[in-house]
Amino acid sequence: MRAYIASTAFFVPPNRVTNDDLVSQFHIDTTNDWIVQRTGIEARHFADDGVGPSDLAEPAARDAIARAGLQKDDIDMIVFATLSPEHAFPGSGCYLQAKLGLVGVPAMDVRNQCSGFLYALASAKGFVESGLAKNVLVVGGEKHSAGLDLSTAGRTVACLFGDGAGAVVVRGTDDPERGIRWMNLGADGRFADSLSQKVWDSRHRPFVKKDPETGKHVVPADMMWANMDGKVVFKNAVEKMILSVMGMCMENGIEATDLDLVVCHQANMRINEFVRDQLGLPADKVPNNIQKYGNTTAATIPILLAELERDGRLKPGMKVALVGFGSGFTWGSAYLVW
Ligand code: UT7
């Protein structure tokens, strides 16, 4: 038996924030041209105050379960990938489990940032193929907007990220062709500080520092917001994503040009264009939707899969590669026959 993705679904909050809105609403010193030229991003969606990643995940999860032809009680495992959980603990998977009314069903979080969906998918594949679970709900959900410095000081990071969730149901199939045929995951913790958010710092008691002048506990700006060495992340993302797909092709005895679709993590359109050019693939085989949603981290790949399936661009029998890279550094890839 081999695991396969039985359904795809996504949800983004209704509030669409364009690049021009970053200037007019948040008074960030940036321009639509700068953001589009450097990243390809035209807009992102921001969830309202009080909404968390499990709230965004709930409609996507319900839709994915329905599209798999299942009832919610058929789900026997939840794997929730996020870097923006409601709280440091417990995980967002537990909050989602309660919202879905799935008391008793195991729920775990995967904290592997932009590679989170691929790490979660590999976990689900393992659960299904080992017989530990039959129908695994795999979610990538992020509420980034709460963790962005939406001022000119934070503009390099703030213009990149958006909120949203994607969900898939992973099940088993006896079809000898179909399914998640191969996966590879990697990490290089030497770059852990190149992209991080350190607001929760258990190395110190208390977690937040005391201002010596006021005696009040404060969170300094460099801990509150995400920090990124953009150029180092960019260079490593291009390198690791290209090598991941090339390794995948070698291991599976195929050429990159045999792939019908390469579904890349959506961090920067220029990263994905480098990957596409190096693999010698035409634009329609390496689709992007970063224009609309920005980087939704663990949610980018399942959101893009859902859109491609709705548009009729992702069809049964297609050879599909998934590939992602992010904070940690972490990366991963998957070879599927859809
Ligand atoms: O999933 C993984 C997550 N992240 C990524 O994959 C991101 C990877 N990195 C990147 O995508 C790019 O590094 C960025 C798009 C974030 C930045 O592009 P860059 O070409 O590396 O720009 P930079 O940070 O070196 O900044 C160049 C200039 C600076 O001005 P000066 O010092 O040359 O005068 C910045 O202050 O652009 C300025 N700048 C901006 N200007 C207008 C930075 N952000 C902005 C902005 N609007 N939003």
Side-chain angles (χ1 to χ4, degrees):
M1 202 224 311
R2 186 188 290 132
Y4 79 108
I5 295 178
S7 65
T8 61
F10 76 103
F11 176 79
V12 292
N15 180 24
R16 180 173 178 269
V17 178
T18 64
N19 295 337
D20 287 336
D21 292 336
L22 292 178
V23 179
S24 61
Q25 287 178 25
F26 299 100
H27 312 294
I28 299 177
D29 179 11
T30 187
T31 61
N32 178 57
D33 282 354
W34 192 96
I35 300 173
V36 171
Q37 278 168 20
R38 304 281 178 127
T39 71
I41 298 166
E42 294 164 18
R44 73 287 294 144
H45 291 243
F46 284 172
D48 291 344
D49 193 50
V51 171
S54 68
D55 298 305
L56 300 176
E58 185 187 351
R62 289 188 187 278
D63 194 20
I65 293 166
R67 286 174 186 272
L70 300 175
Q71 303 294 319
K72 72 173 173 66
D73 294 326
D74 295 323
I75 298 297
D76 52 4
M77 179 82 205
I78 297 171
V79 186
F80 197 126
T82 186
L83 69 67
S84 54
E86 273 86 351
H87 303 296
F89 70 86
S92 296
C94 290
Y95 288 103
L96 177 64
Q97 189 246 39
K99 283 171 185 149
L100 293 174
L102 289 176
V103 175
V105 170
M108 71 182 227
D109 274 29
V110 166
R111 296 284 305 276
N112 287 78
Q113 302 73 249
C114 296
S115 313
F117 179 75
L118 291 165
Y119 273 72
L121 190 65
S123 307
K125 177 174 163 64
F127 287 129
V128 167
E129 292 178 1
S130 67
L132 209 56
K134 277 198 170 68
N135 301 309
V136 184
L137 176 65
V138 181
V139 174
E142 306 283 2
K143 165 85 180 286
H144 281 314
S145 53
L148 297 175
D149 178 3
L150 289 164
S151 75
T152 297
R155 65 184 178 179
T156 312
V157 174
C159 69
L160 300 176
F161 292 93
D163 302 338
V168 303
V169 172
V170 175
R171 314 184 64 193
T173 176
D174 293 327
D175 185 330
E177 290 304 314
R178 188 180 191 187
I180 308 166
R181 298 178 68 108
W182 183 91
M183 287 200 76
N184 183 44
L185 303 173
D188 187 347
R190 293 174 301 173
F191 292 93
D193 287 335
S194 296
L195 180 47
S196 63
Q197 186 184 15
K198 294 181 173 159
V199 67
W200 176 258
D201 190 349
S202 63
R203 296 172 303 173
H204 304 295
R205 192 169 71 88
F207 293 113
V208 288
K209 295 192 175 90
K210 208 178 223 175
D211 185 314
E213 281 180 20
T214 63
K216 288 188 176 154
H217 288 107
V218 289
V219 181
D222 64 345
M223 285 176 70
M224 181 118 72
W225 312 119
N227 290 290
M228 179 174 71
D229 186 342
K231 286 196 187 339
V232 170
V233 177
F234 193 103
K235 184 176 162 290
N236 280 273
V238 170
E239 186 184 301
K240 287 290 181 312
M241 286 169 70
I242 292 168
L243 288 175
S244 280
V245 180
M246 286 177 163
M248 167 195 301
C249 290
M250 271 174 58
E251 293 281 337
N252 290 278
I254 55 171
E255 300 289 329
T257 47
D258 294 333
L259 292 164
D260 297 302
L261 281 175
V262 177
V263 177
C264 294
H265 168 56
Q266 304 287 300
N268 185 320
M269 186 117 84
R270 286 166 51 225
I271 293 176
N272 296 352
E273 285 167 357
F274 273 111
V275 173
R276 184 190 73 200
D277 290 348
Q278 282 295 313
L279 296 174
L281 296 175
D284 63 332
K285 283 194 173 186
V286 189
N288 291 296
N289 63 1
I290 192 170
Q291 304 89 319
K292 295 189 283 184
Y293 307 122
N295 182 352
T296 56
T297 306
T300 62
I301 291 176
I303 292 177
L304 185 51
L305 283 174
E307 285 202 329
L308 292 167
E309 206 175 29
R310 300 300 168 276
D311 292 352
R313 285 190 286 166
L314 174 57
K315 298 192 220 55
M318 277 187 157
K319 295 188 175 80
V320 181
L322 312 180
V323 60
F325 175 91
S327 156
F329 289 149
T330 57
W331 58 90
S333 57
Y335 173 50
L336 301 84
V337 175
W338 199 256

